[in-house]
Amino acid sequence: MNMTSRRGFIKSASTAALAATATPALAFQMPITGTPDPLPEWFRDWKRGTARWEGIPEETPEADQLLAENVDLENRICSTQATSREGVIAQLDLVLDGNSWTGGLMTEASDRVVFENIRAALVGGLV
């Protein structure tokens, strides 16, 4: 094998390896469609829940329920790819909000997921 064909082989092999590793990530992206993006409404629900939670005594069944609802909303907001500009803004607002678990207490893995989804939405052509 001469030097030119070795370089061509290495280049084509590395391109194939990149395509093989990139393809699984693309399979998890939500398609950009005309359906309403749920993220802005979920973020508004999360903000309302946070305001309610701050106004009730801790360690009560109501506080536990509100906390569980807000954790569920945060998880949905973090793990869903935005399909609108407003959805991307809602994800960023959650990350930047001082009351969110994402803003300080969530694991690095969940932080990575929300930023990967923000990136995927932007790369998908939303902005």
Side-chain angles (χ1 to χ4, degrees):
M1 187 180 278
N2 68 33
M3 185 57 95
T4 305
S5 60
R6 276 190 231 162
R7 285 186 184 153
F9 173 78
I10 291 170
K11 183 177 179 183
S12 65
S14 63
T15 302
L18 177 61
T21 58
T23 303
L26 295 176
F28 293 103
Q29 291 183 4
M30 280 181 59
I32 306 299
T33 65
T35 60
D37 190 337
L39 292 167
E41 185 61 32
W42 290 346
F43 181 70
R44 286 188 291 272
D45 290 345
W46 180 85
K47 288 295 282 184
R48 284 189 291 268
T50 300
R52 284 181 45 215
W53 191 79
E54 290 175 354
I56 60 173
E58 292 184 30
E59 300 183 22
T60 63
E62 183 181 6
D64 291 344
Q65 180 63 34
L66 281 172
L67 179 60
E69 289 171 9
N70 265 21
V71 168
D72 178 62
L73 284 166
E74 280 197 40
N75 288 334
R76 285 191 278 157
I77 292 167
C78 289
S79 64
T80 301
Q81 180 184 331
T83 59
S84 69
R85 184 174 183 275
E86 293 77 16
V88 174
I89 292 168
Q91 286 180 317
L92 288 170
D93 286 345
L94 177 72
V95 170
L96 298 173
D97 192 293
N99 290 315
S100 75
W101 288 64
T102 305
L105 300 177
M106 281 190 150
T107 65
E108 288 182 39
S110 62
D111 292 346
R112 182 173 176 84
V113 169
V114 72
F115 285 109
E116 286 173 348
N117 281 320
I118 291 169
R119 182 185 180 284
L122 294 173
V123 169
L126 289 180
V127 180

